[in-house]
Amino acid sequence: MMDLDKIIASLRDGKHIPEETVFRLCLNSQELLMNEGNVTQVDTPVTICGDIHGQLHDLLTLFEKSGGVEKTRYIFLGDFVDRGFYSLESFLLLLCYKLRYPDRITLIRGNHETRQITKVYGFYDEVVRKYGNSNVWRYCCEVFDYLSLGAIINNSIFCVHGGLSPDMTTVDEIRTIDRKQEVPHEGAMCDLLWSDPEDVDTWSLSPRGAGFLFGKREVDQFLEKNNVELIARAHQLVMEGYKEMFDGGLVTVWSAPNYCYRCGNVAAVLKIDDDLNREYTIFEAVQAQNEVGNAIIPTKKSQMDYFL
Amino acid sequence: MSKRNTPPLRSSGINTIQINAAREMHAQTVRARRMPMPTSGITTPSVQPTAAPATPPRHICNNPNNPQCLHCGSVIIPSPRATLPLEDNPSISINDWTISSRKKPILNSQELDIWENEKLKGLTLPEMIFGNNYIRIENSKQHWSIEFNALDALKEVQLQDSGIRVAYSNDWINSKKRQNSTNGAQRFTNDVNDDSLNIIHKYDWTYTTRYKGTESSPESKFRLDNDQKLPLDKLAVHDKILFYDDMILFEDELADNGISILNVKIRVMNERLLLLSRFFLRVDDVLVRVYDTRIYVEFDENVVIRESKEFEGKYQDVLAKHRLSQSHDPKAALRDSNWVAQNTPMIKRQCEIIQF
């Protein structure tokens, strides 16, 4: 049996985790996650968290500001990795909490939890830099394929990374998807992780040529048909940490403060109590240095470059 | 948006500071030696000292919160912090020229609403707009300035379909059409029809901009002269940098299909400055594009040169060049706009000049 508490302490300190340990963590996580449904049932009270994007120290702030996993239930809406400098530690920390407190952590897949995206947006580079090979990246990608696609809170709040799909009008239909695969470029599974809310009259093709935009009518129909009152999603940067749309029928929650270490935004988490009341907790980014002056975030200071 | 994780701080920055410090110490020593001017009973007007005494610094810095300028004691490098409010507004003056910059966080929702509904109506805004950032080069005597900012850059984005699609667009659309015909008998189950597969929002989602700066004069004072060239020999000399700034004006990750980013940076030396405004577009597996605008100013001659270059190539063609280098991760190079600009065909160049 692994000493999860010891590994958790190492991860929180940003210390190196041996490859063999990562392998076993990922294997155990797969065994645990494969028993969860495409849409996980979660009870209140619960705290909903948006994108993390490898900002480990801000993830620690998130736990500190919202009660901590020992006392609070959490749903993470995906995009744990890429862009930040600590994608691996962030993801492994969440996996360890999942293994340690299975009923208190729900992890939903984001569009970044794929091989194709992590190859381009930082996670792969980070792993190769930290281990000298890509084995750990491959172990993590195996786990990605087992993450749930959504969650439902007290049968009243639907949680998903991106948004809705025209191919899935009910939560029950989402349960029929074969999710254990790389996220495809088309289909319902793709839509759930990639679509965006927009002020449009009906389903509309994104000008990029792929991906749907959905509007108030689609949200209202989904809420009514499934007898839910809120869709909580992430996927898009919000300067104020969260943004409600469509008369409060949909909310975007964003949990990576000072995104990419330069946006200067705040972040938020959304707590749902037993009466389904919403309470947003706002938090800021960690400082680039800790109390004793050691750098924990590489400072993005301009170098005096003799560019031409 | 794609940016390789920042490597550890490059030693060149530190070395530059150390080298400048060493030069300064040397200069102080030499000035000390020159102080007791040799006196001679015999003087002729034609005899000059072999070395002129060092002239006092002629620039004025205004750089709060930042490391000190080794030359005049003020600071050089703006350093944005995460703590709100985030604002930095340094400047430097040389002769009649003043260079200033400002950095703030991305626009908040209130600011975004104004930009979306008034200033840039019709354009779905990029995800990260540093709408309060700018770099400005001003000549007070000539009542002229040129500024680089996000709003004017985005005003140049076309409000019509760019024609560019992400790599898997055909697969995605064909899949939806197949599902429509399969579900034809059950049309009531969803509202998707072929009309939904048409693009309603017409704008250039790549945010391509040919922005070359905003002049304060109603009509441009630049005169086209494609025979002009930037004096690269002067710029290649590592003169002491008195002012430096580097900032993003806007950035969008194209919904994780690449990157569209407008970056502007400037370095100011004792006699001249160089500004580079770079638009970098990468649509994964589709194309890469680099649009550069450089502004060169010679302070004493009061000359301003503006050179624009456009580079564009198919993603696979540019990627093939890097594969030849046997890199472990060939796609990493396509995240580096410098490498892309050097390995992509230049399709257009233009040069303009102002002689005050």
Side-chain angles (χ1 to χ4, degrees):
Chain A
M1 188 57 188
M2 309 176 72
D3 187 346
L4 285 172
D5 289 330
K6 187 175 177 185
I7 300 172
I8 288 170
S10 293
L11 286 166
R12 291 179 66 100
D13 289 338
K15 291 178 178 172
H16 182 80
I17 307 296
E19 187 180 316
E20 168 63 22
T21 303
V22 177
F23 176 76
R24 281 186 288 136
L25 281 174
C26 291
L27 207 58
N28 293 351
S29 300
Q30 284 177 54
E31 292 172 3
L32 181 62
L33 292 169
M34 70 171 59
N35 294 315
E36 302 206 339
N38 287 355
V39 181
T40 306
Q41 299 273 89
V42 182
D43 294 326
T44 54
V46 63
T47 297
I48 302 169
C49 314
D51 288 21
I52 301 298
H53 279 308
Q55 299 183 196
L56 171 71
H57 302 88
D58 299 311
L59 176 60
L60 299 178
T61 300
L62 180 157
F63 283 124
E64 178 193 331
K65 299 288 185 182
S66 55
V69 68
E70 295 81 5
K71 298 175 239 160
T72 306
R73 229 189 316 258
Y74 288 93
I75 298 172
F76 285 86
L77 300 177
D79 280 13
F80 320 112
V81 299
D82 283 337
R83 302 215 165 86
F85 297 128
Y86 301 92
S87 294
L88 179 66
E89 290 83 358
S90 302
F91 183 56
L92 293 182
L93 181 64
L94 293 173
L95 287 188
C96 284
Y97 281 148
K98 181 63 184 176
L99 291 165
R100 181 75 173 76
Y101 309 98
D103 296 330
R104 280 182 239 164
I105 292 272
T106 299
L107 302 177
I108 290 172
R109 192 172 194 174
N111 67 300
H112 278 263
E113 275 73 59
T114 71
R115 292 157 187 80
Q116 295 170 69
I117 294 290
T118 51
K119 245 335 188 44
V120 178
Y121 289 93
F123 184 44
Y124 177 89
D125 292 349
E126 179 188 318
V127 167
V128 171
R129 187 171 64 250
K130 289 177 175 173
Y131 288 89
N133 61 65
S134 60
N135 293 335
V136 162
W137 171 77
R138 286 192 290 104
Y139 305 153
C140 292
C141 289
E142 293 293 326
V143 179
F144 293 161
D145 291 344
Y146 287 86
L147 295 167
S148 296
L149 302 179
I152 191 90
I153 303 173
N154 277 21
N155 293 314
S156 298
I157 295 176
F158 177 63
C159 303
V160 69
H161 177 71
L164 301 180
S165 169
D167 303 332
M168 296 279 139
T169 55
T170 67
V171 173
D172 283 338
E173 286 175 298
I174 297 174
R175 296 192 164 106
T176 66
I177 296 173
D178 173 20
R179 78 173 193 264
K180 296 180 178 64
Q181 54 173 313
E182 179 78 338
V183 179
H185 280 317
E186 30 81 20
M189 183 170 165
C190 168
D191 295 339
L192 293 170
L193 273 59
W194 284 86
S195 63
D196 288 317
E198 185 64 72
D199 184 19
V200 289
D201 295 335
T202 183
W203 295 103
S204 179
L205 176 60
S206 159
R208 300 177 191 91
F212 268 123
L213 306 172
F214 58 93
K216 183 179 195 309
R217 198 169 72 127
E218 287 67 51
V219 169
D220 288 346
Q221 282 179 1
F222 187 91
L223 298 178
E224 181 184 359
K225 180 169 283 194
N226 295 277
N227 194 26
V228 298
E229 63 181 71
L230 173 67
I231 297 168
R233 46 92 66 173
H235 193 45
Q236 286 180 300
L237 168 62
V238 184
M239 178 62 166
E240 288 79 14
Y242 72 95
K243 180 181 181 183
E244 293 194 350
M245 293 172 75
F246 309 141
D247 299 327
L250 178 138
V251 64
T252 300
V253 182
W254 181 266
S255 302
N258 197 32
Y259 179 50
C260 295
Y261 307 113
R262 67 169 173 272
C263 286
N265 62 291
V266 296
V269 295
L270 167 57
K271 181 172 183 179
I272 306 291
D273 68 15
D274 290 327
D275 298 316
L276 301 182
N277 295 315
R278 308 175 194 179
E279 182 190 346
Y280 295 97
T281 299
I282 307 294
F283 61 99
E284 288 186 6
V286 291
Q287 299 306 298
Q289 294 187 338
N290 63 15
E291 298 77 39
V292 297
N294 293 326
I296 54 178
I297 304 294
T299 306
K300 283 217 166 230
K301 180 177 291 200
S302 302
Q303 296 304 301
M304 289 195 294
D305 176 20
Y306 283 91
F307 64 87
L308 285 174
Chain B
M1 166 221 163
S2 168
K3 179 164 286 192
R4 191 193 339 216
N5 287 332
T6 303
L9 291 177
R10 287 183 290 113
S11 60
S12 62
I14 297 174
N15 287 347
T16 300
I17 295 171
Q18 290 167 347
I19 291 169
N20 286 344
R23 286 175 180 159
E24 183 63 22
M25 290 172 64
H26 175 74
Q28 288 171 0
T29 304
V30 172
R31 281 199 297 268
R33 291 184 189 140
R34 289 195 201 116
M35 278 178 187
M37 291 288 294
T39 58
S40 172
I42 302 171
T43 59
T44 59
S46 61
V47 174
Q48 298 293 333
T50 54
T55 58
R58 60 176 192 165
H59 69 277
I60 302 165
C61 291
N62 173 34
N63 291 281
N65 306 323
N66 292 286
Q68 286 211 324
C69 171
L70 297 165
H71 197 224
C72 73
S74 295
V75 292
I76 296 174
I77 308 173
S79 176
R81 300 182 303 265
T83 305
L84 299 172
L86 287 168
E87 181 163 1
D88 210 1
N89 191 199
S91 67
I92 186 173
S93 297
I94 298 178
N95 293 354
D96 300 319
W97 296 92
T98 299
I99 296 89
S100 58
S101 64
R102 184 172 71 188
K103 285 154 105 162
K104 290 187 76 174
I106 56 172
L107 297 180
N108 59 41
S109 292
Q110 194 175 343
E111 291 167 318
L112 283 173
D113 283 346
I114 295 172
W115 282 46
E116 197 157 41
N117 297 313
E118 296 167 27
K119 300 184 176 181
L120 292 170
K121 192 171 177 60
L123 180 70
T124 296
L125 298 177
E127 197 172 25
M128 297 176 232
I129 306 179
F130 296 84
N132 296 295
N133 288 8
Y134 67 76
I135 293 183
R136 184 183 299 135
I137 303 167
E138 181 178 0
N139 187 304
S140 54
K141 187 173 182 182
Q142 301 294 337
H143 304 291
W144 176 86
S145 73
I146 187 165
E147 176 183 298
F148 286 78
N149 66 66
L151 178 61
D152 293 335
L154 288 169
K155 285 180 177 176
E156 305 283 328
V157 175
Q158 298 293 304
L159 294 182
Q160 57 196 17
D161 189 359
S162 64
I164 299 171
R165 300 289 182 265
V166 296
Y168 51 91
S169 172
N170 284 338
D171 291 344
W172 194 90
I173 293 177
N174 291 337
S175 165
K176 294 304 181 187
K177 287 182 175 176
R178 282 196 304 270
Q179 279 170 328
N180 277 0
S181 52
T182 301
N183 295 334
Q186 317 176 49
R187 184 56 58 93
F188 63 90
T189 61
N190 67 61
D191 297 304
V192 175
N193 50 51
D194 285 347
D195 289 344
S196 296
L197 299 178
N198 295 326
I199 293 169
I200 294 174
H201 284 207
K202 292 290 171 57
Y203 69 99
D204 182 354
W205 62 273
T206 69
Y207 302 105
T208 298
T209 177
R210 291 184 160 85
Y211 181 58
K212 299 176 183 177
T214 308
E215 290 179 71
S216 58
S217 50
E219 284 189 10
S220 173
K221 291 186 183 296
F222 282 103
R223 171 176 54 85
L224 186 66
D225 185 352
N226 286 329
D227 294 327
Q228 286 287 335
K229 291 179 183 175
L230 298 180
L232 296 183
D233 53 337
K234 294 180 179 177
L235 290 168
V237 179
H238 280 199
D239 296 320
K240 188 188 285 67
I241 292 179
L242 305 173
F243 181 98
Y244 186 95
D245 210 342
D246 183 343
M247 64 180 66
I248 295 168
L249 296 183
F250 70 79
E251 181 173 358
D252 193 276
E253 297 154 350
L254 308 180
D256 301 321
N257 287 289
I259 187 170
S260 172
I261 181 171
L262 182 62
N263 175 271
V264 59
K265 55 187 171 184
I266 187 167
R267 61 180 169 103
V268 182
M269 286 69 68
N270 197 40
E271 296 175 24
R272 59 188 64 87
L273 71 78
L274 177 67
L275 177 150
L276 168 60
S277 171
R278 167 165 286 178
F279 172 75
F280 176 49
L281 170 70
R282 192 191 77 249
V283 183
D284 287 329
D285 300 320
V286 177
L287 91 164
V288 291
R289 201 178 260 173
V290 177
Y291 290 171
D292 282 348
T293 295
R294 289 176 172 83
I295 304 287
Y296 172 85
V297 177
E298 190 78 39
F299 298 131
D300 289 328
E301 285 81 357
N302 285 317
V303 169
V304 184
I305 299 177
R306 176 164 71 181
E307 182 190 61
S308 306
K309 291 180 174 176
E310 295 181 7
F311 306 84
E312 184 169 322
K314 291 182 179 177
Y315 184 95
Q316 296 299 336
D317 293 346
V318 178
L319 184 62
K321 293 190 176 180
H322 196 276
R323 286 217 165 94
L324 299 175
S325 71
Q326 302 169 28
S327 168
H328 182 60
D329 180 10
K331 291 187 177 179
L334 272 74
R335 300 195 282 272
D336 177 0
S337 66
N338 283 323
W339 186 91
V340 170
Q342 290 163 19
N343 290 273
T344 304
M346 182 170 71
I347 59 178
K348 187 178 178 182
R349 177 189 177 268
Q350 179 177 296
C351 204
E352 303 161 282
I353 187 170
I354 299 176
Q355 176 72 67
F356 285 121

